[in-house]
Amino acid sequence: MELILIYYRLKRTILKVILILGHGIKGIVIAGEAKIGKNVEFSHQVTIGRSKGGVPTIGDDVYIGPGAKIFGGIKIGNNVRIGANCVVFEDVPDNATVVLQKPRVIIKDPDYHYSIFEDTEKHKKG
């Protein structure tokens, strides 16, 4: 885990005091001009992105789980937890947790065969 003590502008992104990077900086994308509060923990593959001309404002004491995406001119409140792979595009109030719905299982036809090749016979022949 990397703890970075920061208060400066990086490509117009405003960061305050402590930024916690659970898996280092690799794979984290933060849009210019995004506002990020104190004690925010970013997991790997997080994107804080611009949408419709707006960038997010993230409050203090926020955890952002692996693969989460936060887009647009929205406000993420203080003491918020955002779960893995969540896509957030609307405001989140203080003291909230954001999670995904339960995954769905889709049953395929019994004759269906998954192949990365279009024609498996052609690739078997070489």
Side-chain angles (χ1 to χ4, degrees):
M1 179 181 317
E2 277 182 55
L3 294 175
I4 301 176
L5 303 174
I6 295 178
Y7 186 78
Y8 70 99
R9 292 177 186 265
L10 173 63
K11 293 184 181 176
R12 296 178 298 184
T13 297
I14 300 169
L15 303 171
K16 293 187 217 171
V17 189
I18 299 177
L19 179 66
I20 303 165
L21 305 174
H23 297 275
I25 193 75
K26 294 179 182 166
I28 297 174
V29 177
I30 302 174
E33 298 179 356
K35 295 174 184 71
I36 299 170
K38 297 182 278 184
N39 303 320
V40 175
E41 180 173 351
F42 290 86
S43 295
H44 55 285
Q45 302 301 316
V46 166
T47 298
I48 309 298
R50 178 179 306 280
S51 179
K52 298 182 182 175
V55 292
T57 298
I58 298 174
D60 298 335
D61 303 311
V62 173
Y63 169 79
I64 305 172
K69 313 296 181 222
I70 303 171
F71 292 107
I74 63 172
K75 183 181 182 299
I76 305 298
N78 297 316
N79 195 35
V80 168
R81 303 293 173 258
I82 298 175
N85 297 313
C86 287
V87 178
V88 183
F89 51 88
E90 53 190 42
D91 291 346
V92 178
D94 291 348
N95 304 309
T97 299
V98 180
V99 296
L100 291 173
Q101 293 181 345
K102 179 182 171 189
R104 295 182 310 148
V105 176
I106 300 172
I107 305 298
K108 299 277 188 194
D109 183 307
D111 296 328
Y112 174 82
H113 175 69
Y114 174 78
S115 174
I116 60 172
F117 302 111
E118 289 180 29
D119 181 359
T120 55
E121 292 302 315
K122 179 173 34 173
H123 291 283
K124 285 180 184 176
K125 293 177 186 175

